[in-house]
Amino acid sequence: MALEITDATFQEVVLNSDKPVLVDFWAAWCGPCRMVAPIVDEISTEYEGKAVVGKVDVDNNQEFAAKYGVRNIPTVLIFKNGEVVDKQVGAAPKKAYTDKIDAAL
């Protein structure tokens, strides 16, 4: 399962990570987000130990969604060394996400 990331844990989990981080910005009411959720969970299992995979519920955690200009969900951002290195807006096939993580590894 992907980590549940909040505004309170974002700095530590994402920005201070020594591994690449995939962050899925989502909301419970968002249909495409529900399509992406099982893919993100699969990636979380497959990349365990190599990358951090987490989710931010934008309804309850708006600080970092606003900071990174997340206007449409799902938006997946890839971080490396605390910086955004790639992004995917809207639902996409699993390979689109894994290619982005692989490029950051």
Side-chain angles (χ1 to χ4, degrees):
M1 290 289 291
L3 285 170
E4 198 59 52
I5 300 170
T6 64
D7 286 342
T9 62
F10 198 94
Q11 178 76 37
E12 180 186 339
V13 174
V14 179
L15 303 180
N16 295 346
S17 176
D18 57 353
K19 296 180 178 84
V21 185
L22 178 150
V23 181
D24 174 18
F25 289 87
W26 72 286
W29 50 264
C30 163
C33 298
R34 289 195 299 271
M35 290 167 38
V36 170
I39 295 170
V40 170
D41 286 338
E42 272 180 43
I43 293 169
S44 146
T45 303
E46 289 171 21
Y47 283 80
E48 193 167 342
K50 295 187 281 185
V52 176
V53 177
K55 302 165 68 97
V56 174
D57 181 341
V58 297
D59 284 339
N60 299 321
N61 301 281
Q62 298 175 355
E63 178 184 346
F64 288 94
K67 178 176 180 182
Y68 292 105
V70 174
R71 288 177 178 59
N72 300 307
I73 53 173
T75 291
V76 171
L77 299 181
I78 307 293
F79 289 82
K80 186 171 184 174
N81 301 322
E83 299 291 322
V84 176
V85 295
D86 211 338
K87 77 190 257 181
Q88 172 68 47
V89 178
K94 181 176 175 183
K95 185 167 174 18
Y97 304 114
T98 56
D99 285 351
K100 292 175 187 316
I101 296 175
D102 290 342
L105 285 172

